[in-house]
Amino acid sequence: MALLAYLKSLFILQLLMGFVFVVSGLIINFIQLCTCILWPINKQLYRRINCRLSYSLWSQLVMMLEWWSGTECTLYTDQATVDKFGKEHVIIILNHNFEVDFLCGWTMCERYGILGSSKVLAKHELLKVPLIGWTWYFLEIVFCKRKWEEDRKTVFSGLERLKDYPEYMWFLLYCEGTRFTEKKHQISMQVAESKGLPKLKYHLLPRTKGFTTTLQCLKGTVTAVYDVTLNFKDKQTPTLLSIVNGKKYKADMRVQRFSVDEIPEDEQECANWLHKLYQEKDALQEQYNKEGKFPGPTIIPPRRPWTLLNFLFWATLLLSPLINFACGVVVSGSPLLIIGFILFLIIASIAIRRLIGVTEVKKTGSSYGNLEAKKQN
């Protein structure tokens, strides 16, 4: 075990994994670009193909969580709810406290066969991020600038387009709008106080507009809302970098299903429903902190081999020529070739590190409630 942990911490292995992810991602993005000719001919075929292509990329990240780090995911829910997973269009509400919360969500999507068709209401800045933003663009992800006056038309048209999506989808919403930090929480609770709303201890005040709009636009398509609260055992705070280093975690996810028929249609009543839900989520978090677990039965869905097989396919395809080229450079003895190859490795490592940086709490998030930032804007 010690040897395995040492191997996982080797930078060269992590760099090779990053190389496989980046190059395979560029290949996938190119194929996605080529599929655009199908859109005017057969839109549903275009969508089905892009679901498979995006799966091939995202599953490599899921593989890191499931197989490389060995992180375990436990669901706290009933069997009746689990039986519906992957068999209906739903909206997912997830707390936004960790750098890898999206990865845990993707893991559940993969285990129930809907990773390729998973959706999210994403911030517009991510559209410019290579691989991630490009893949999401072809997957018809809805992007927003978090300014409703500018987002209204884009969000409505993007959501309306998804009403006839051919594959079951889980549409993820981070209703808090940004990742939880103590500073943001303090500002958020000042906003709650000014609006006469109950204060939350472990969450930011939810932004209701995104939820009510999504529910309204996808009415008739979405049949349920899944409220998911994520925590990690022993109050650990995993990062994508620690996952890459092979560190193992134990994730607990409390899932509660609400039929859309249970949620008020009136916008203000729907917003009140969401605020009440977050008060309940806060109470759940309090209970978890005291007892180290959520209430209710537990289910541990088994990991599937497809994420590992997919990565091995890309690794075999891409690493063989790279290793042959590296051996050729060394054998040639050419200082120019050797220096060039070293520069390539340095540039590659910097690029991969920047991609990881997209998930880091200190480098992401909005200026929600930040009056100073609003003045600067």
Side-chain angles (χ1 to χ4, degrees):
M1 294 298 291
L3 176 60
L4 185 60
Y6 170 73
L7 290 174
K8 289 180 179 179
S9 67
L10 289 177
F11 176 72
I12 186 62
L13 288 183
Q14 297 171 5
L15 184 60
L16 290 175
M17 289 177 63
F19 172 82
V20 171
F21 177 75
V22 170
V23 177
S24 65
L26 292 174
I27 294 172
I28 288 170
N29 287 161
F30 176 74
I31 298 173
Q32 288 180 306
L33 180 62
C34 293
T35 64
C36 288
I37 62 173
L38 292 173
W39 180 268
I41 303 171
N42 191 329
K43 182 173 66 174
Q44 304 297 37
L45 177 61
Y46 164 89
R47 287 170 160 173
R48 293 183 188 279
I49 291 174
N50 275 278
C51 282
R52 274 69 185 171
L53 290 171
S54 63
Y55 173 87
S56 189
L57 184 61
W58 302 146
S59 67
Q60 294 181 51
L61 297 177
V62 174
M63 185 280 301
M64 281 200 305
L65 185 77
E66 292 184 330
W67 296 92
W68 183 257
S69 81
T71 294
E72 300 174 359
C73 294
T74 301
L75 294 178
Y76 286 77
T77 190
D78 57 89
Q79 188 60 49
T81 297
V82 172
D83 289 341
K84 293 182 180 294
F85 285 0
K87 299 175 183 177
E88 59 180 347
H89 296 295
V90 300
I91 294 173
I92 304 287
I93 297 175
L94 178 63
N95 56 313
H96 208 4
N97 299 66
F98 307 98
E99 291 183 12
V100 298
D101 46 29
F102 74 97
L103 202 49
C104 292
W106 277 356
T107 297
M108 288 300 106
C109 287
E110 199 289 321
R111 294 186 185 187
Y112 291 100
I114 54 171
L115 176 59
S117 58
S118 60
K119 309 293 181 187
V120 64
L121 185 62
K123 57 184 180 181
H124 192 266
E125 294 90 333
L126 290 175
L127 180 59
K128 303 174 185 177
V129 177
L131 305 184
I132 297 173
W134 299 347
T135 303
W136 273 353
Y137 174 81
F138 292 113
L139 204 58
E140 302 173 77
I141 293 300
V142 181
F143 293 94
C144 63
K145 298 178 181 178
R146 294 172 176 173
K147 297 178 181 178
W148 183 240
E149 295 75 17
E150 298 180 28
D151 289 332
R152 181 189 298 270
K153 185 177 180 181
T154 303
V155 171
F156 268 97
S157 61
L159 291 172
E160 284 291 332
R161 252 195 331 266
L162 296 176
K163 293 186 76 170
D164 65 341
Y165 209 77
E167 310 242 342
Y168 288 122
M169 63 178 175
W170 284 3
F171 195 101
L172 172 62
L173 287 178
Y174 290 116
C175 292
E176 295 165 85
T178 184
R179 282 199 181 96
F180 183 98
T181 66
E182 288 301 330
K183 181 179 179 181
K184 291 175 185 175
H185 179 254
Q186 183 180 4
I187 297 170
S188 181
M189 291 308 98
Q190 291 173 1
V191 175
E193 185 175 7
S194 69
K195 293 184 176 182
L197 294 169
K199 290 187 178 181
L200 303 174
K201 189 175 180 181
Y202 304 102
H203 299 84
L204 304 181
L205 190 68
R207 294 181 173 185
T208 60
K209 181 63 72 174
F211 174 71
T212 57
T213 301
T214 302
L215 195 59
Q216 175 188 347
C217 289
L218 295 180
K219 185 178 180 181
T221 300
V222 165
T223 57
V225 172
Y226 295 170
D227 172 49
V228 183
T229 304
L230 170 68
N231 268 301
F232 288 88
K233 293 289 188 186
D234 304 319
K235 297 183 178 179
Q236 292 182 310
T237 53
T239 64
L240 187 55
L241 198 57
S242 64
I243 295 296
V244 171
N245 286 327
K247 187 172 181 180
K248 182 177 181 177
Y249 298 94
K250 292 184 178 181
D252 289 335
M253 304 176 75
R254 179 21 162 83
V255 183
Q256 188 174 7
R257 182 185 183 276
F258 297 93
S259 169
V260 292
D261 296 331
E262 302 175 41
I263 304 171
E265 292 187 13
D266 178 77
E267 184 175 353
Q268 185 56 53
E269 291 182 7
C270 184
N272 293 338
W273 181 90
L274 185 65
H275 282 301
K276 183 180 179 182
L277 178 67
Y278 267 79
Q279 293 164 29
E280 294 172 359
K281 287 170 76 71
D282 225 46
L284 271 175
Q285 181 65 62
E286 181 76 28
Q287 183 176 353
Y288 188 90
N289 288 348
K290 291 179 179 178
E291 302 178 8
K293 62 179 182 179
F294 289 118
T298 61
I299 296 174
I300 303 178
R303 61 184 180 182
R304 307 194 304 171
W306 311 123
T307 56
L308 182 60
L309 293 175
N310 175 73
F311 176 78
L312 291 176
F313 163 77
W314 284 111
T316 303
L317 183 67
L318 300 174
L319 291 182
S320 298
L322 177 67
I323 294 172
N324 289 335
F325 177 75
C327 292
V329 168
V330 173
V331 171
S332 70
S334 170
L336 188 61
L337 282 176
I338 294 174
I339 292 173
F341 188 68
I342 292 174
L343 286 174
F344 166 76
L345 293 178
I346 293 173
I347 293 172
S349 63
I350 292 174
I352 293 167
R353 185 62 185 85
R354 285 177 67 88
L355 276 176
I356 293 175
V358 172
T359 69
E360 293 179 354
V361 171
K362 294 181 181 179
K363 297 182 181 180
T364 58
S366 70
S367 57
Y368 171 59
N370 191 334
L371 298 179
E372 293 181 3
K374 290 182 180 178
K375 289 178 182 178
Q376 290 175 0
N377 293 335

